[in-house]
Amino acid sequence: MAKKQKFAKESAVTMTEMVLPNDTNTLNNLMGGRLMHWMDIVSAIAAQKHSNRVVVTASVDNISFRKPIKLGNVVSLKAQVTRAFSSSMEVFIEVTAEDIPANKRYTCNSAFFTFVAVDQSGRPIDVPEVVPETEEEKEHYAGALRRRQLRLVLAKRMKPAEATELKALFENLEPLKED
Ligand SMILES: CC(C)(COP(=O)(O)OP(=O)(O)OC[C@H]1O[C@@H](n2cnc3c(N)ncnc32)[C@H](O)[C@@H]1OP(=O)(O)O)[C@@H](O)C(=O)NCCC(=O)NCCS
């Protein structure tokens, strides 16, 4: 039977938070752990919207904090499923912060989280396929297989020799030009 399909945009979620004193470190900047908590929540909601299932966080890709987010800033977290495999879904999260009185908005970071849909006994269960529509969605969809292979190799769930998409990436790299 053909798998159910859903548009990537159907899973889109935006969550908005204000940085309050209890969210900050001693420099009055948002704590990294609090931001990761919000990222986990917004991306879990996106994965739930795609799968209509209970989901669990399976892995989190590299997160770097490019700019501090100040006390009083308003943080927007946008999440959307990029691609689904059998039971797992990759979610892209983009974080921006806004100093509303100063009329300044800046992009803080982005990351990919992976969620697995589970049944009532906690066993992985199949999810619909993702249909990307925009250029950005198509780009994220295409790169998702490579990123999945990288995270499965790092988690020792896939042999490096089986990571064909990943290998192809390195084989197709142009050699550096000498001056
Ligand atoms: C995630 C979990 C459900 C996977 O269960 P499992 O018995 O290993 O199941 P499988 O081997 O069949 O893998 C199921 C899916 O998870 C994916 N997966 C498992 N580990 C992964 C990892 N580290 N990174 C990315 N995907 C992963 C597999 O690729 C597979 O995806 P697919 O069905 O789309 O091909 C299980 O490990 C779990 O419940 N982990 C705890 C989750 C949790 O509590 N998260 C909150 C942290 S406090």
Side-chain angles (χ1 to χ4, degrees), residues 28-52:
N28 280 341
N29 295 326
L30 176 63
M31 280 185 290
R34 179 77 81 221
L35 181 59
M36 289 190 281
H37 175 68
W38 291 341
M39 291 170 89
D40 195 26
I41 291 174
V42 73
S43 50
I45 297 171
Q48 280 202 357
K49 281 182 78 172
H50 179 74
S51 61
N52 293 109

Side-chain angles (χ1 to χ4, degrees), residues 7-164:
F7 291 114
K9 67 176 175 218
E10 291 180 72
S11 64
V13 185
T14 302
M15 186 169 118
T16 309
E17 296 279 346
M18 179 180 274
V19 181
L20 296 173
N22 205 31
D23 303 319
T24 60
N25 60 22
T26 50
L27 297 170
N28 280 341
N29 295 326
L30 176 63
M31 280 185 290
R34 179 77 81 221
L35 181 59
M36 289 190 281
H37 175 68
W38 291 341
M39 291 170 89
D40 195 26
I41 291 174
V42 73
S43 50
I45 297 171
Q48 280 202 357
K49 281 182 78 172
H50 179 74
S51 61
N52 293 109
R53 294 279 180 187
V54 171
V55 300
V56 293
T57 316
S59 76
V60 173
D61 290 8
N62 164 62
I63 304 179
S64 35
F65 302 99
R66 264 180 264 150
K67 285 191 179 150
I69 303 175
K70 301 275 173 206
L71 176 66
N73 280 187
V74 171
V75 181
S76 297
L77 301 105
K78 283 188 182 177
Q80 188 168 306
V81 175
T82 61
R83 186 163 176 167
F85 297 92
S86 295
S87 63
S88 67
M89 295 155 277
E90 183 190 73
V91 181
F92 178 64
I93 310 115
E94 194 169 37
V95 182
T96 53
E98 207 174 346
D99 180 343
I100 296 177
N103 207 16
K104 281 193 181 139
R105 189 184 173 89
Y106 51 100
T107 302
C108 305
N109 66 340
S110 58
F112 292 97
F113 281 39
T114 302
F115 290 85
V116 175
V118 293
D119 64 15
Q120 280 166 341
S121 325
R123 278 188 300 263
I125 189 161
D126 271 13
V127 297
E129 282 173 1
V130 170
V131 180
E133 294 176 287
T134 66
E135 279 312 304
E136 194 189 18
E137 286 169 1
K138 286 177 186 166
E139 205 177 294
H140 280 156
Y141 182 93
L145 187 54
R146 195 173 64 233
R147 289 187 295 274
R148 168 185 162 92
Q149 291 187 349
L150 178 60
R151 61 179 81 95
L152 292 181
V153 167
L154 291 175
K156 298 199 184 333
R157 284 177 162 263
M158 182 181 267
K159 293 192 180 96
E162 290 165 7
T164 47

